[in-house]
């Protein structure tokens, strides 16, 4: 029995998943962070923890296994107990137990279980679709530096005016220097205005081109005079309680876009409504048989989306 698969499914929806007589896997929400030196953005997530002290059977894991495998609750409890017995034996022999998409477990020198969580999956559904990225540093314009650069090119020194009895002073040199600075600043302003004017003209030209293209398309539509033969499509309605979830979106338009993308890849994608968080859910396909759904889930994780997961739910 792949116990870690069932634990992973439940961690998307619950903050505590207890394995009777073994321990509990806990999830704690961590806010988004930005690294100060690398400018790396880390989205919000659920951080996984393990508490060996919580071992009482709350029935959550056993009920889920019984529902998925269509077996009695008591049978599911016995299967869990057998797997726990094997896990404890492996830990006692000094082995490191690796639970896929959950983490690794091993005994320390004090015979206590140490847990090293896995970071391959983000169990926070609110953050679905968000990934780590590095943002470029923000560059800010410092106008003081620009003025100092201009002063280095065109130095301006104001000195007291001296008048002589012969009146041979040439005051027009001062006005010439002021005019030169004014022309330089005016050139910068006019240059910016020219660039903005070109951008505005480009936008107008683009709008006119789009309008002409739309007119041509409408004209081409009316050229078709002979009606095309009717096409018969066989549409099969998907059913079943096992759904392979591709993602959940707060904006329904993004949900529709994801459905179109998956259909283009050949999947029988569709929307199945909103979850308890108000997010619109998209599934690759739905199945009535659990084993068939698990095989398809494995194929989807390998070929398209390693974050896909299995939802067991009866739809109206």
């Amino acid at each position: 029995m792949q116990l870690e698969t069932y634990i992973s499914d439940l961690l998307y929806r619950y903050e505590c998943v207890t394995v009777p007589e073994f321990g509990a896997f806990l999830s704690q929400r961590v806010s988004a962070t930005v690294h100060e030196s690398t400018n790396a953005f880390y989205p919000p997530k659920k951080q996984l923890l393990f508490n060996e002290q919580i071992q009482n059977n709350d029935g959550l894991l056993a009920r889920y296994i019984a529902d998925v495998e269509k077996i009695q609750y008591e049978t599911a409890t016995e299967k869990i107990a057998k797997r726990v017995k094997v896990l404890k034996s492996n830990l006692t022999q000094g082995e490191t137990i690796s639970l896929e998409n959950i983490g690794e477990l091993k005994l320390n020198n004090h015979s206590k279980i140490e847990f090293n969580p896995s970071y391959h999956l983000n169990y926070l559904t609110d953050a679905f679709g968000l990934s780590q990225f590095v943002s470029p540093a923000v560059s800010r314009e410092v106008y003081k530096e620009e003025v100092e650069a201009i002063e280095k090119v065109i130095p301006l020194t104001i000195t007291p005016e001296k008048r002589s009895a012969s009146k041979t002073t040439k005051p027009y040199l001062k006005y010439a220097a002021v005019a030169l600075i004014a022309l330089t600043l005016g050139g910068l302003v006019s240059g910016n205005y020219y660039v903005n004017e070109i951008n505005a003209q480009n936008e107008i030209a683009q709008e006119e081109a789009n309008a002409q293209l739309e007119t041509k398309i409408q004209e081409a539509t009316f050229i078709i005079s002979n009606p095309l033969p009717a096409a018969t499509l066989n549409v099969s309605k998907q059913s079943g309680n096992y759904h392979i979830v591709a993602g959940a979106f707060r904006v329904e338009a993004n949900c529709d876009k994801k459905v179109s993308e998956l259909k283009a890849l050949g999947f029988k994608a569709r929307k199945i409504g909103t979850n308890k968080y108000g997010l619109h859910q998209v599934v690759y396909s739905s199945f009535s048989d659990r084993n068939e759904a698990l095989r398809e889930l494995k194929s989807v994780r390998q070929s398209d989306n390693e974050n896909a997961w299995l939802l067991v739910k009866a739809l109206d």
Side-chain angles (χ1 to χ4, degrees):
M1 179 180 64
Q2 297 296 324
L3 185 63
E4 55 267 35
T5 300
Y6 299 124
I7 297 175
S8 181
D9 292 344
L10 292 172
L11 284 174
Y12 281 104
R13 290 172 281 175
Y14 300 95
E15 296 180 354
C16 178
V17 179
T18 303
V19 181
E21 305 302 325
F22 186 73
F25 293 94
L26 310 173
S27 63
Q28 180 180 9
R29 180 169 181 144
V30 179
S31 302
T33 57
V34 179
H35 197 281
E36 294 182 357
S37 60
T38 63
N39 295 322
F41 170 82
Y42 299 93
K45 64 180 180 179
K46 277 187 176 181
Q47 181 178 359
L48 298 184
L49 306 170
F50 180 78
N51 190 333
E52 189 178 356
Q53 304 299 322
I54 305 176
Q55 297 188 1
N56 293 332
N57 185 13
D58 59 1
L60 176 64
L61 181 60
R63 283 196 300 269
Y64 180 70
I65 295 175
D67 185 40
V68 172
E69 298 189 0
K70 304 299 181 184
I71 59 178
Q72 295 295 326
Y73 175 83
E74 292 76 10
T75 304
T77 303
E78 293 175 359
K79 296 181 69 172
I80 295 173
K82 290 180 180 180
R83 181 63 191 280
V84 168
K85 184 177 180 181
V86 174
L87 292 176
K88 288 184 175 180
S89 176
N90 293 339
L91 288 173
T92 304
Q93 295 175 10
E95 297 183 10
T96 298
I97 300 175
S98 179
L99 302 179
E100 185 178 3
N101 295 325
I102 297 177
E104 295 182 346
L105 298 168
K106 66 178 181 180
L107 289 181
N108 59 18
N109 297 331
H110 303 286
S111 298
K112 299 296 183 180
I113 298 178
E114 290 186 355
F115 176 63
N116 184 23
S118 171
Y119 298 98
H120 291 90
L121 283 185
N122 187 351
Y123 289 100
L124 183 62
T125 56
D126 292 347
F128 182 83
L130 298 179
S131 60
Q132 174 189 345
F133 68 92
V134 178
S135 174
V138 178
S139 58
R140 297 177 174 84
E141 295 183 357
V142 182
Y143 294 101
K144 181 179 179 180
E145 295 179 358
E146 293 183 359
V147 173
E148 291 177 352
I150 294 176
E151 290 180 349
K152 290 180 181 179
V153 177
I154 310 174
L156 178 61
T157 303
I158 301 176
T159 57
E161 183 180 358
K162 296 181 180 180
R163 299 180 180 272
S164 61
S166 59
K167 297 183 180 181
T168 57
T169 306
K170 300 179 180 179
Y172 60 83
L173 293 178
K174 177 180 67 175
Y175 298 109
V178 174
L180 181 58
I181 295 175
L183 289 175
T184 302
L185 296 177
L188 293 175
V189 174
S190 61
N192 291 332
Y193 174 79
Y194 180 70
V195 171
N196 294 333
E197 184 68 19
I198 291 177
N199 292 334
Q201 293 297 330
N202 289 339
E203 291 179 1
I204 295 174
Q206 183 65 40
E207 293 178 358
E208 292 178 354
N210 292 336
Q212 293 178 5
L213 179 59
E214 184 177 356
T215 302
K216 293 295 183 181
I217 293 175
Q218 293 177 354
E219 292 177 355
T221 303
F222 288 101
I223 292 176
I224 303 175
S225 58
N226 296 325
L228 297 175
T232 303
L233 299 177
N234 295 323
V235 179
S236 58
K237 182 179 179 181
Q238 295 189 54
S239 60
N241 298 337
Y242 303 94
H243 316 280
I244 301 177
V245 180
F249 303 85
R250 192 168 301 279
V251 180
E252 189 171 7
N254 296 335
C255 177
D256 296 332
K257 181 180 179 181
K258 186 65 176 180
V259 171
S260 301
E261 292 176 354
L262 293 180
K263 286 185 176 180
L265 295 175
F267 294 103
K268 298 178 181 179
R270 64 184 179 125
K271 299 187 294 185
I272 61 170
T274 57
N275 58 17
K276 65 179 181 179
Y277 302 105
L279 303 177
H280 303 275
Q281 293 181 301
V282 177
V283 298
Y284 285 91
S285 53
S286 301
F287 299 89
S288 300
D289 182 72
R290 173 186 169 275
N291 292 329
E292 184 180 357
L294 290 176
R295 287 193 296 269
E296 180 64 16
L297 175 61
K298 182 178 180 181
S299 175
V300 168
R301 284 178 172 176
Q302 293 176 349
S303 62
D304 185 67
N305 181 7
E306 64 178 9
N307 296 325
W309 58 282
L310 182 65
L311 171 65
V312 180
K313 181 180 180 182
L315 302 178
D316 298 333

